[in-house]
Amino acid sequence: LSVLIPALNEAQTLPALLDDLTKQQGLPLEVVVADGGSRDATAAVCQAHGVACLHAPRGRGAQLNAAVAASKAPWLVCLHADSHLTSPTQLADGLSALQAQTDRSAVAGHWPLRFVRAQPGYEGMFRQLEAKSASNRPGTVNGDQGLLLHRSTLTALGGFDESLPFFEDHRMAAKVFAHGRFLLLPGVIETSARRFEIEGHGPRMVVMALMV
């Protein structure tokens, strides 16, 4: 399994994910970080963890396509740098679940989310966002939830959209739903609530809605 991580100035968050990946059991992993021109110590963090750091054009779609081209394994999982795996067998369990489906209608898999917060409050909003991430419906799947699929599937879907600096995840999710369905994978991915806490919870929700 190749783990593909787009990064931009993620020296503070990336070490925790790389530590999670070293603890994964049940299958060999290749980890490729696609750096979009970080000005911090992201590359040094990768070197310290013995992970390949690929210099790629900025933009998550372009970074992910570069990571795909540089990786070797038949199965791919895309993770955001501030993601946290919550089980030492999470990737192996997810891959087994996707491989075990009998009707083969699931084109790709994703995990439900749990937000990690430094500030209290807004419990209802975060519960709603977490429930939405587990609903497995069109319009509810994004890159924070991870993306697990076979390399041939990604090729058939045309790779990641590079026309915008973000939203490659929304456009890839739309392709998956157009060609089959997502499988909700066992376990949960924890993700940082930092954007809500930095920008303000209400303003962040408005910005997200306007972007979509």
Side-chain angles (χ1 to χ4, degrees):
L1 178 68
S2 291
V3 183
L4 314 178
I5 306 169
L8 181 65
N9 298 323
E10 294 288 1
Q12 296 299 313
T13 59
L14 189 57
L17 175 57
L18 297 182
D19 287 341
D20 289 344
L21 292 172
T22 62
K23 299 172 185 174
Q24 288 295 296
Q25 304 169 9
L27 79 172
L29 298 179
E30 173 195 36
V31 181
V32 179
V33 175
D35 184 76
S38 295
R39 295 177 179 271
D40 66 358
T42 295
V45 167
C46 294
Q47 183 178 13
H49 284 79
V51 167
C53 183
L54 175 70
H55 297 289
R58 182 175 299 190
R60 283 203 308 245
Q63 288 170 241
L64 283 169
N65 284 335
V68 171
S71 64
K72 300 179 178 64
W75 288 93
L76 310 170
V77 61
C78 306
L79 298 173
H80 283 185
D82 61 350
S83 297
H84 172 57
L85 303 178
T86 55
S87 162
T89 59
Q90 187 161 353
L91 296 184
D93 292 343
L95 182 56
S96 294
L98 192 56
Q99 291 175 321
Q101 58 150 348
T102 56
D103 63 2
R104 299 296 176 183
S105 62
V107 176
H110 73 94
W111 287 269
L113 288 179
R114 182 165 62 227
F115 284 90
V116 178
R117 296 179 283 156
Q119 302 172 7
Y122 296 90
E123 280 78 9
M125 184 193 77
F126 284 110
R127 280 198 301 270
Q128 181 184 24
L129 291 173
E130 290 170 353
K132 184 179 178 182
S133 75
S135 67
N136 212 27
R137 299 194 310 267
T140 67
V141 181
N142 57 57
D144 289 333
Q145 300 167 35
L147 175 68
L148 177 64
L149 75 174
H150 196 273
R151 181 182 296 272
S152 62
T153 301
L154 182 62
T155 300
L157 294 177
F160 291 97
D161 192 322
E162 299 184 12
S163 62
L164 292 174
F166 48 82
F167 270 11
E168 84 298 333
D169 50 353
H170 287 254
R171 294 182 174 187
M172 178 56 66
K175 291 180 184 179
V176 169
F177 280 114
H179 289 79
R181 65 182 177 90
F182 267 105
L183 182 69
L184 189 65
L185 300 173
V188 64
I189 280 184
E190 290 185 338
T191 188
S192 170
R194 57 181 173 166
R195 288 192 180 274
F196 292 96
E197 294 169 343
I198 292 171
E199 299 174 19
H201 297 76
R204 181 61 189 171
M205 290 293 288
V206 172
V207 168
M208 289 166 58
L210 290 173
M211 287 165 62
V212 172

